[in-house]
Amino acid sequence: MTELTRKLVRDAQAIWHAGLAAVDSAKLVSNAVTLDGRRLRLGHNEIDLDKIRHIVVVGAGKAGAGMAVGLLEALGDSICREKKLSGWINVPDDCARELPCIRLFPARPAGENIPTTRVIEGTREILARVRACEPNDLCICLISGGGSALLDLPIAPITLDEQVALIDHLSSAQANIKQLNTVRKQISQVKAGRLAVGCIAPMVALIISDVLGDPLDVIASGPTVADESDAAAALDVLRQFDPDGTKVASSIYRVLRECRYPVVSPGELSHVHNIVVGNIRIAIEAAANRARALGYQTEFVVPVALEGLANDVGNQLVERLNKFERVSGLIAWIEGGEPVVQLVKTPERGMGGRNQQVILAAAQSLMSRTDKINKSFCLLSGGTDGEDGPTDAAGAWMDSDSIEQARRLGLDPSHYLSRNDAYHFFDSLGTLLRTGPTHTNVCDLRVLLCE
């Protein structure tokens, strides 16, 4: 690897990690929670602690552990003891650890973003704690990305297996996160505001957004938010992705047609305050600041709309690199997103995630060029949660030298791309981005550097 390429790779990782550090979940929560004597401020909400008997903490998501730490630090031991603070948060297995007062419940294996029997168990406990609150209690709900899978309780007679099969079918059929959540919200006892509607105490939800544009009803399927969508909207999605009505369990159609759980109205949640404490904008702006500090001419974009296919996003990044070939100096482009991967059938499917798929699509485009790339570059994409599909990587990167290395090794990106097997392509090159659990989640962060 040339010295220039080493610099670009090193800088790309430093820029990406600067964005990640800015959305550290403990810091985001502790910044949003302050004490002023006997006044507790949660965002713009001020609460008289003398009127509070107990503080009950519940929640779910990949950032749950860090958010809990930040909350406990902000409140301090004295208030936690005085208000007999107790809590339960569903988190991935590799995020669980011992905390005072708050149980971090390991609800699903790392990298498997689907509900499990432990998710159901933990959700029953959370629902019971919320419903046990008294009017003079305070319920604080810590919500973050991954909460859709970590907080769920299907409406009977839908079984867990039927729900998991539904998620797999819609994901394989290229349903986006909004379409997927439209269905899952209407077959759950806790999504779409149904968790909060059972609480008679004041509730404040502190939310780290993993959805572009921060739509509260989509983040973790909106357990504390009234939702305009209903069973009819869910049936419309199923008609699109299951036109013959044979791929989705009959129990799901039955629940939707009978509308067993009514839509929660905004008036029913007047006791709830939802506060977004972190999102992709914070990460992108911090990454851009680091890029400028490293001497790069820097441009960035903060997306607000859902993205398309990961393959298309990778090709768009190559188009941007092509434009940069006509510009001199060190250049940085930073963006966020969350594209969709078109999955092949399970028997043919390899290993990978949407970030790896984006970079592999870019590699395919670059390796198909007949002319030589005139710029040294590095292109990196990683999930801020440290997970990218069912793998141990957060994402991957490619640089001008690893393109040539792939050619020497005879690696055909088209073969790996067609099988959703980006992981093994990048593992062969040693260009997987591995971070372990980050305890935060604000979509994906992508960095393009060139000279």
Side-chain angles (χ1 to χ4, degrees):
M1 182 180 287
T2 65
E3 186 56 40
L4 177 57
T5 302
R6 285 193 190 94
K7 170 182 168 51
L8 293 176
V9 172
R10 185 170 61 246
D11 287 353
Q13 293 182 358
I15 291 165
W16 189 88
H17 278 283
L20 181 67
V23 290
D24 174 84
S25 56
K27 182 171 66 175
L28 292 173
V29 170
S30 62
N31 288 343
V33 179
T34 57
L35 279 171
D36 183 7
R38 301 296 293 173
R39 313 295 293 183
L40 172 63
R41 292 192 181 93
L42 299 161
H44 297 299
N45 299 276
E46 192 170 286
I47 296 165
D48 184 352
L49 284 172
D50 290 332
K51 296 180 179 179
I52 299 300
R53 183 187 64 144
H54 294 159
I55 296 177
V56 177
V57 180
V58 296
K62 297 176 183 178
M67 295 180 81
V69 169
L71 179 63
L72 293 175
E73 289 177 350
L75 293 175
D77 293 340
S78 178
I79 293 298
C80 290
R81 286 194 302 269
E82 177 190 335
K83 299 305 174 184
K84 299 177 182 177
L85 184 145
S86 63
W88 183 292
I89 301 173
N90 285 359
V91 297
D93 291 358
D94 57 353
C95 295
R97 56 175 164 143
E98 292 293 325
L99 287 181
C101 309
I102 297 175
R103 172 79 184 277
L104 297 177
F105 182 68
R108 67 150 174 85
E112 296 185 16
N113 202 25
I114 56 174
T116 66
T117 54
R118 284 180 288 140
V119 166
I120 305 301
E121 176 189 348
T123 301
R124 290 188 192 278
E125 178 67 27
I126 290 169
L127 197 55
R129 290 176 181 238
V130 167
R131 290 174 175 173
C133 287
E134 298 292 337
N136 57 347
D137 291 336
L138 170 64
C139 185
I140 300 176
C141 194
L142 304 178
I143 297 295
S144 58
S148 289
L150 284 162
L151 183 69
D152 207 0
L153 188 59
I155 298 172
I158 300 170
T159 68
L160 175 62
D161 288 344
E162 289 170 339
Q163 185 186 35
V164 170
L166 167 73
I167 295 169
D168 184 64
H169 170 68
L170 291 178
S171 299
S172 298
Q174 301 176 47
N176 61 39
I177 187 63
K178 184 175 181 180
Q179 292 166 324
L180 178 59
N181 282 353
T182 294
V183 179
R184 330 196 246 203
K185 283 186 287 191
Q186 299 308 319
I187 61 172
S188 171
Q189 297 182 42
V190 292
K191 301 184 188 302
R194 294 185 184 119
L195 175 67
V197 80
C199 184
I200 62 174
M203 176 183 279
V204 178
L206 303 178
I207 301 168
I208 295 180
S209 170
D210 70 328
V211 184
L212 304 179
D214 306 335
L216 294 177
D217 60 316
V218 179
I219 303 164
S221 299
T224 61
V225 182
D227 197 322
E228 294 181 356
S229 67
D230 54 17
L235 286 168
D236 284 342
V237 173
L238 292 185
R239 273 190 284 271
Q240 178 180 349
F241 293 102
D242 184 26
D244 57 3
T246 60
K247 303 292 191 304
V248 175
S250 60
S251 61
I252 293 175
Y253 282 106
R254 178 180 166 190
V255 165
L256 292 175
R257 286 170 181 145
E258 293 177 359
C259 299
R260 297 194 174 188
Y261 275 60
V263 172
V264 176
S265 69
E268 294 177 90
L269 299 182
S270 59
H271 62 297
V272 181
H273 298 277
N274 293 292
I275 305 165
V276 175
V277 299
N279 56 20
I280 189 62
R281 173 179 288 278
I282 295 172
I284 289 173
E285 291 179 350
N289 288 337
R290 184 61 184 275
R292 293 190 189 100
L294 289 170
Y296 290 83
Q297 304 171 55
T298 304
E299 297 178 50
F300 67 87
V301 63
V302 180
V304 295
L306 291 172
E307 289 192 297
L309 292 175
N311 292 17
D312 295 337
V313 173
N315 291 331
Q316 289 161 13
L317 286 168
V318 172
E319 290 175 10
R320 187 164 296 278
L321 175 61
N322 291 337
K323 292 177 182 177
F324 287 161
E325 284 195 89
R326 298 188 293 272
V327 183
S328 62
L330 293 168
I331 304 162
W333 171 261
I334 299 163
E335 65 182 23
E338 193 169 87
V340 177
V341 176
Q342 185 175 358
L343 295 175
V344 298
K345 294 179 180 179
T346 306
E348 305 166 24
R349 194 182 306 164
M351 287 177 62
R354 59 179 180 261
N355 289 281
Q356 296 164 58
Q357 188 89 356
V358 165
I359 302 300
L360 185 55
Q364 180 191 40
S365 178
L366 290 166
M367 290 178 68
S368 66
R369 288 177 56 158
T370 55
D371 60 322
K372 184 174 176 60
I373 302 168
N374 295 322
K375 295 273 188 181
S376 293
F377 73 91
C378 180
L379 177 56
L380 181 151
S381 183
T384 54
D385 56 1
E387 293 184 355
D388 191 35
T391 75
D392 62 354
W397 78 86
M398 282 294 287
D399 56 71
S400 35
D401 287 2
S402 57
I403 288 286
E404 297 308 314
Q405 182 186 0
R407 287 196 174 104
R408 288 195 300 272
L409 293 174
L411 299 176
D412 179 4
S414 300
H415 169 71
Y416 291 89
L417 201 62
S418 66
R419 297 180 55 249
N420 307 132
D421 198 25
Y423 180 91
H424 291 109
F425 180 89
F426 294 116
D427 195 32
S428 299
L429 298 173
T431 59
L432 286 167
L433 177 67
R434 292 186 172 97
T435 64
T438 63
H439 304 292
T440 194
N441 188 11
V442 294
C443 303
D444 304 330
L445 182 62
R446 299 191 285 263
V447 179
L448 167 61
L449 303 182
C450 70
E451 190 283 327

